[in-house]
Amino acid sequence: AQKITQTQPGMFVQEKEAVTLDCTYDTSDPSYGLFWYKQPSSGEMIFLIYQGSYDQQNATEGRYSLNFQKARKSANLVISASQLGDSAMYFCAMRGMDSSYKLIFGSGTRLLVRP
Amino acid sequence: DVKVTQSSRYLVKRTGEKVFLECVQDMDHENMFWYRQDPGLGLRLIYFSYDVKMKEKGDIPEGYSVSREKKERFSLILESASTNQTSMYLCASSLPGTGWRDYGYTFGSGTRLTVV
């Protein structure tokens, strides 16, 4: 069975500092994809970044980067130069080959950026 | 941009009522999904559909059913609403894709349902 674990229910970060949100996963699939989504208080889920299990380099999208450590089965999200608008829930998700199109989500981390 | 539209942002229903949550996407996506989101539990898959008139149970289908008569529309039905179905409901769609990146979802804005 596949599983995503986010062990940080809530985090604070000072504006303009970097923050790392943890995500570990469990799968027996040799090929899988990892995703991070942001959910502001308005409720919509916003795709941030994606990492494929065979990608050689860590994914980056603007201020977001994914610290992918395959042997440790971790896919941590790094947000550089935090902004007040980064305050939101963040979800890590995974899809494996046996998932029949569905994404498995973690329980989420609530990030609060302090001015 | 792909748009996924959920018909209601907030909904209050009484116990025992039959409730319909509607979701429409405008980019011809084959796959559509219904999740519920509860604090501390993340998103849990209720049902999904990979084609018109096709449906598959997710992890928590009990008390729910779905309908997909047209490709763009995927409806979630609460047959007899109960208070433990008070939750945020999120609809999503995706392409079947040939690469992993395509398997990411586009979400609707969510429907916060309260059953009293």
Side-chain angles (χ1 to χ4, degrees), chain B residues 7-21:
Chain B
S7 53
S8 304
R9 286 301 307 273
Y10 299 93
L11 214 51
V12 180
K13 296 292 183 180
R14 294 194 181 278
T15 302
E17 276 192 75
K18 191 169 186 175
V19 181
F20 293 85
L21 302 183

Side-chain angles (χ1 to χ4, degrees), chain B residues 7-96:
Chain B
S7 53
S8 304
R9 286 301 307 273
Y10 299 93
L11 214 51
V12 180
K13 296 292 183 180
R14 294 194 181 278
T15 302
E17 276 192 75
K18 191 169 186 175
V19 181
F20 293 85
L21 302 183
E22 304 289 343
C23 176
V24 177
Q25 50 96 2
D26 66 359
M27 280 297 288
D28 207 34
H29 281 180
E30 280 80 1
N31 304 326
M32 296 188 76
F33 308 82
W34 275 105
Y35 284 83
R36 67 176 281 176
Q37 180 183 355
D38 300 289
L41 297 177
L43 278 72
R44 294 179 292 166
L45 182 65
I46 305 171
Y47 268 97
F48 65 101
S49 168
Y50 51 87
D51 203 349
V52 176
K53 297 193 186 294
M54 304 300 289
K55 60 184 179 183
E56 294 270 351
K57 292 181 180 179
D59 299 317
I60 51 164
E62 296 77 20
Y64 303 95
S65 63
V66 290
S67 172
R68 192 162 181 204
E69 296 297 318
K70 294 184 178 181
K71 192 174 186 179
E72 67 269 19
R73 185 180 297 271
F74 191 36
S75 303
L76 179 69
I77 304 157
L78 285 65
E79 298 292 344
S80 177
S82 64
T83 54
N84 63 14
Q85 292 178 310
T86 291
S87 186
M88 168 74 103
Y89 290 87
L90 289 161
C91 175
S93 71
S94 76
L95 290 166

Side-chain angles (χ1 to χ4, degrees), chain A residues 31-33 35 37 39 42-45 47 50 61 91 95-97 100-103 105-107, chain B residues 9 31 33 35 37 40-43 45 48 50 59 88 90 96 100-101 103-105 107-109:
Chain A
S31 181
Y32 49 88
F35 302 80
Y37 287 84
Q39 186 182 43
S42 53
E44 76 273 26
M45 295 280 279
F47 166 76
Y50 155 82
E61 293 279 355
F91 290 96
R95 182 192 158 168
M97 293 176 67
S100 301
Y101 312 111
K102 64 183 183 183
L103 289 179
F105 286 83
S107 56
Chain B
R9 286 301 307 273
N31 304 326
F33 308 82
Y35 284 83
Q37 180 183 355
L41 297 177
L43 278 72
L45 182 65
F48 65 101
Y50 51 87
D59 299 317
M88 168 74 103
L90 289 161
W100 283 113
R101 192 185 186 99
Y103 298 139
Y105 292 171
F107 281 89
S109 298

